[in-house]
Amino acid sequence: MKQFLKLAEFCKNNNIAYDAEKDRQFNIFCDLLEEKNRVMNLTGVTDHDEAEIIHFIDSVEAAAVINELYGKDTNIKVLDIGTGAGFPGIPLKIVMPHAEFVLADALNKRINFINEVISAANLENITAIQGRAEEIGQSGMRESFDICVSRAVADTSVLLEYVLPTVKKGGLCILYKSGDYRKELETAAYALDVLGGTLEDVKEFCLPESDIGRSLVIIRKINDTPLKYPRRPGKPSKSPLIMK
């Protein structure tokens, strides 16, 4: 079993609890990721050393922000939209055992994989659901989460229509971004205003032992999202909320 020493060091430096049981859970996750990726396309990175940095440390970055704002042992409710193979939701759940997590993805094969990880790693208070972001935002889960995270590859103006309808007024959306987030934020200013959000902060960081620059764009929901948003499936990506 690999010891995720870089991850442990990252957690120590960011006041995030990490112990042998969490290390075991990360190993189970990584082993299943490597095994299942042979028969289905989950991720391009399955090597334990690469996954530790590219997937695990990257995902856990948000835990430092959440712990600072909400406290380490808080019972907040977190939604991961477009979770894919379970990022960032599963790594965040492992290091935030007191929080309740819902991981959502449109593809059932990914949800089945995540459920295998949940069972094998004995993770509690976490649910995986199949569904498109537009459907979740118009369901009984609308405005029921304290935080929504998303590491999905989509333009910020599109992501905002997926995530902001799901969080309570006063809640947070944390978007994992690479590249130049500033231009995206400029374009997304109209969507932010329409959907009831405001930019609270951006945390820039570089992944260990690499020159990979990443950012966490932190959005605070200050007003209720109009009921017509999110629009029907496919509409946000085809016609983003951008000032004409």
Side-chain angles (χ1 to χ4, degrees):
M1 185 174 74
K2 174 184 168 60
Q3 284 187 289
F4 291 108
L5 298 177
K6 299 182 187 72
L7 176 58
E9 182 68 15
F10 171 85
C11 289
K12 179 181 177 182
N13 292 339
N14 288 276
N15 197 28
I16 299 168
Y18 195 86
D19 54 27
E21 173 60 13
K22 292 180 175 60
D23 202 72
R24 184 188 72 84
Q25 291 171 324
F26 274 108
N27 267 283
I28 290 170
F29 184 19
C30 206
D31 287 345
L32 281 171
L33 194 64
E34 185 175 18
E35 176 189 335
K36 296 298 181 181
N37 207 59
R38 298 190 188 109
V39 294
M40 69 173 77
N41 183 25
L42 290 168
T43 173
V45 177
T46 59
D47 174 79
H48 280 52
D49 291 329
E50 283 189 277
E52 179 177 15
I53 293 172
I54 300 296
H55 286 322
F56 297 163
I57 292 177
D58 185 48
S59 293
V60 169
E61 279 280 355
V65 174
I66 295 169
N67 287 346
E68 183 178 342
L69 293 173
Y70 291 87
K72 290 179 68 172
D73 298 328
T74 182
N75 295 319
I76 54 172
K77 190 173 181 181
V78 183
L79 172 67
D80 178 8
I81 282 281
T83 188
F87 301 110
I90 290 178
L92 286 175
K93 176 60 195 177
I94 291 173
V95 300
M96 297 172 58
H98 296 279
E100 178 183 351
F101 276 80
V102 176
L103 277 54
D105 196 86
L107 294 183
N108 194 52
K109 69 176 184 178
R110 293 175 184 157
I111 297 304
N112 290 337
F113 167 73
I114 291 166
N115 280 325
E116 283 192 58
V117 176
I118 290 171
S119 177
N122 300 121
L123 297 176
E124 299 178 347
N125 210 14
I126 177 172
T127 306
I129 61 171
Q130 181 186 9
R132 296 187 60 150
E134 301 96 326
E135 296 165 338
I136 292 167
Q138 291 290 6
S139 73
M141 290 181 284
R142 181 184 179 89
E143 298 192 331
S144 65
F145 294 91
D146 300 291
I147 298 175
C148 182
V149 296
S150 185
R151 199 169 172 248
V153 181
D155 188 85
T156 299
S157 56
V158 175
L159 270 179
L160 290 174
E161 190 168 353
Y162 295 159
V163 299
L164 274 167
T166 69
V167 296
K168 304 171 185 174
K169 186 176 177 180
L172 289 180
C173 297
I174 302 178
L175 311 181
Y176 290 67
K177 305 298 293 184
S178 58
D180 187 6
Y181 65 86
R182 295 175 184 84
K183 184 170 181 60
E184 282 195 25
L185 282 177
E186 289 177 12
T187 306
Y190 178 70
L192 260 182
D193 182 56
V194 168
L195 298 167
T198 187
L199 178 64
E200 179 153 307
D201 197 6
V202 178
K203 180 184 179 183
E204 298 180 0
F205 59 97
C206 193
L207 294 178
E209 301 181 6
S210 78
D211 57 358
I212 302 173
R214 299 282 283 156
S215 305
L216 296 178
V217 176
I218 303 166
I219 306 294
R220 177 77 66 179
K221 184 167 181 175
I222 55 174
N223 294 309
D224 292 330
T225 301
L227 291 175
K228 67 179 180 179
Y229 301 110
R231 291 165 291 169
R232 68 179 185 274
K235 188 71 172 176
S237 59
K238 291 178 183 176
S239 182
L241 292 171
I242 297 173
M243 182 70 78
K244 305 300 182 183

